[in-house]
Amino acid sequence: LHRIPSRGYSRRRRQYIRESMVSRRHQKHNMANRRFVLSACGCLAACLVDVSAFLPASISAGRNVFLSTSYISTSNSDRIYPNCWVLDMSSIGQDLLYQDQQAAMERRAIFEETLLSRKKTKELKAPKMKLKQPKSGTGFGGGASIVNPNVQLAAEQAKVVRREGVIRIDSALTPNLADKLRDYVLEQQTLAEVKTETDLGASQAFYGVENQRKSRCDLQLSLLKGGYAADGGVAVTASVDESDHVLADALQELLGQDGTLRHIYEELVTLKGEFYELAAVVTNPGSNRQQVHPDLPFRESAPLYVIFLALQDVDEAMGPTSFLLRTHTLKENTRFHDYSQKDDLLSSADCRISTLKKGDAVLFDARILHCGNANDLERGSTRALFNFSFRNPEITGDLGYAGSIRPGYFDMMNLGDMSDALIAYGNGEKEPFGKYGDGLRRPHL
């Protein structure tokens, strides 16, 4: 008010003049901002016009190209800019928002790494099991009862999973078969890239929950011999050996009658456990560290048991998975989702890193807190994990987690069905999962 002469003006009049001056100043400032925004849009439009000059005439049709902003409505663009195309910038905004979200997640993941490092991280090792010998005189005729040692071992392993939330199982798959399965998985990845290069909409047929992560994907595998090459009923080419069904061979070694993982899954989910996931998780150098997370919302009983099986040696530079022991309980889940306690939980957690040898596996309760580490851009290399899971039949309803499996296989098979198919395969059936098809659509059984 000191700039307005007091003589001849009432206080109310001077207040009115001041507010008018401020209002005009704001209007001038806002108009300058609008001119800047429109000028920036004009620059972008000019760039697009230059780019469109290289497009075929059938696309550009001799029309200029403008960007749509909040000041230019696409609905009346023909009235404002006749003989022009107006492009919607909303998708650009969505992309920028997604990038910001990803950057925030990366920063949080790095911060969590510092929290977990406050306690020394140890390697996840396979526990040493002492199997009880049957007492003499308890079997038929007074002799010792005959107990399958693999069943005994599975019962002890299941106790560890229930207590710790995770267990390492060494040599679940033979090294030779792990090599073959890795080659097969990477071949499938190449086929998926070729098939989605020109049709992005087809990506859901090949990729699961990790589709959009940087340098990381999970391939939803087909149970048919030849994999993706057999999609849609296409006959497998002669280049595929008639006797070579790598995926069935691997499942036979793991889940067959005396497979290395068969009995522990029977112990945990019974033969009625639904086959919930079938995929391969592939990370390349440059993939970022994940935030610590459980795979699904908490349930009182374990809803899902998951396998990660190494198809090559996995060292620290390749981004092995870290598991926070005993965090699959209600108490730890509550702390994790309470932001006032979350960081303290991570700082004090018993974190184990799953560096593995080729053919080794980790089996974990999907409620446990875990995260994939970064695959180092310079020291890392491609890490491929065979991934499948079985669901606890006692847990009904939606799990709140869409597993990585082709839609046609969802809710179609349990461990008993898997066993029957593998028995048929052992008896000479060349296509043991033929009745389930390629998984792209639900079969008529």
Side-chain angles (χ1 to χ4, degrees), residues 13-231:
R13 177 64 175 170
R14 283 185 289 138
Q15 181 72 20
Y16 173 80
I17 293 172
R18 186 187 71 83
E19 291 175 353
S20 298
M21 291 173 65
V22 171
S23 177
R24 286 196 296 272
R25 189 181 303 122
H26 285 175
Q27 290 175 4
K28 183 178 180 181
H29 178 71
N30 289 340
M31 287 302 297
N33 284 344
R34 290 180 183 178
R35 283 195 296 269
F36 172 78
V37 171
L38 290 173
S39 296
C41 292
C43 293
L44 291 174
C47 291
L48 286 173
V49 169
D50 289 340
V51 172
S52 66
F54 295 95
L55 298 176
S58 59
I59 297 178
S60 61
R63 306 180 81 182
N64 292 326
V65 182
F66 286 85
L67 293 180
S68 168
T69 69
S70 58
Y71 304 99
I72 305 173
S73 171
T74 56
S75 62
N76 62 359
S77 60
D78 286 338
R79 180 175 58 82
I80 299 175
Y81 294 108
N83 298 320
C84 295
W85 277 346
V86 178
L87 303 181
D88 186 5
M89 290 183 65
S90 60
S91 60
I92 298 176
Q94 291 173 358
D95 289 342
L96 291 173
L97 178 60
Y98 174 77
Q99 292 173 17
D100 287 344
Q101 291 172 337
Q102 292 300 304
M105 292 170 65
E106 290 173 23
R107 290 192 297 271
R108 173 63 192 181
I110 293 171
F111 176 67
E112 289 179 349
E113 185 176 19
T114 63
L115 294 176
L116 292 172
S117 65
R118 293 180 182 178
K119 286 186 67 175
K120 184 178 180 181
T121 298
K122 300 177 182 178
E123 181 184 17
L124 180 67
K125 294 185 177 181
K128 296 179 180 180
M129 298 292 182
K130 293 183 179 180
L131 303 182
K132 296 180 180 180
Q133 297 296 326
K135 296 180 181 180
S136 59
T138 58
F140 179 75
S145 61
I146 300 174
V147 179
N148 186 335
N150 292 329
V151 174
Q152 278 188 295
L153 176 62
E156 295 303 313
Q157 289 173 327
K159 291 178 182 178
V160 174
V161 176
R162 294 184 180 112
R163 182 178 67 250
E164 305 291 332
V166 61
I167 189 171
R168 173 174 174 161
I169 301 173
D170 289 342
S171 303
L173 195 66
T174 56
N176 182 53
L177 192 47
D179 285 336
K180 289 183 178 180
L181 185 55
R182 186 177 193 275
D183 290 342
Y184 171 79
V185 164
L186 297 182
E187 178 188 71
Q188 297 300 291
Q189 185 181 25
T190 300
L191 287 174
E193 290 172 351
V194 171
K195 292 192 175 188
T196 58
E197 186 175 10
T198 55
D199 183 8
L200 294 178
S203 63
Q204 292 183 349
F206 302 100
Y207 301 110
V209 294
E210 295 285 2
N211 186 16
Q212 293 184 332
R213 300 294 178 90
K214 180 182 178 182
S215 302
R216 180 184 178 96
C217 73
D218 54 342
L219 294 169
Q220 299 176 148
L221 300 176
S222 167
L223 284 167
L224 297 182
K225 181 163 60 175
Y228 300 153
D231 280 354

Side-chain angles (χ1 to χ4, degrees), residues 101-119 121 210 213-216 283-293 316-324 346-347 349 351-354 369-377 383:
Q101 291 172 337
Q102 292 300 304
M105 292 170 65
E106 290 173 23
R107 290 192 297 271
R108 173 63 192 181
I110 293 171
F111 176 67
E112 289 179 349
E113 185 176 19
T114 63
L115 294 176
L116 292 172
S117 65
R118 293 180 182 178
K119 286 186 67 175
T121 298
E210 295 285 2
R213 300 294 178 90
K214 180 182 178 182
S215 302
R216 180 184 178 96
T283 61
N284 294 316
S287 66
N288 296 318
R289 178 187 174 90
Q290 292 179 315
Q291 288 182 253
V292 175
H293 63 280
E316 288 195 38
M318 297 168 68
T321 306
S322 291
F323 294 93
L324 280 57
L346 298 180
S347 298
C351 181
R352 303 297 173 95
I353 190 167
S354 58
L369 298 178
H370 62 282
C371 66
N373 290 282
N375 194 328
D376 190 87
L377 188 60
R383 181 194 68 155

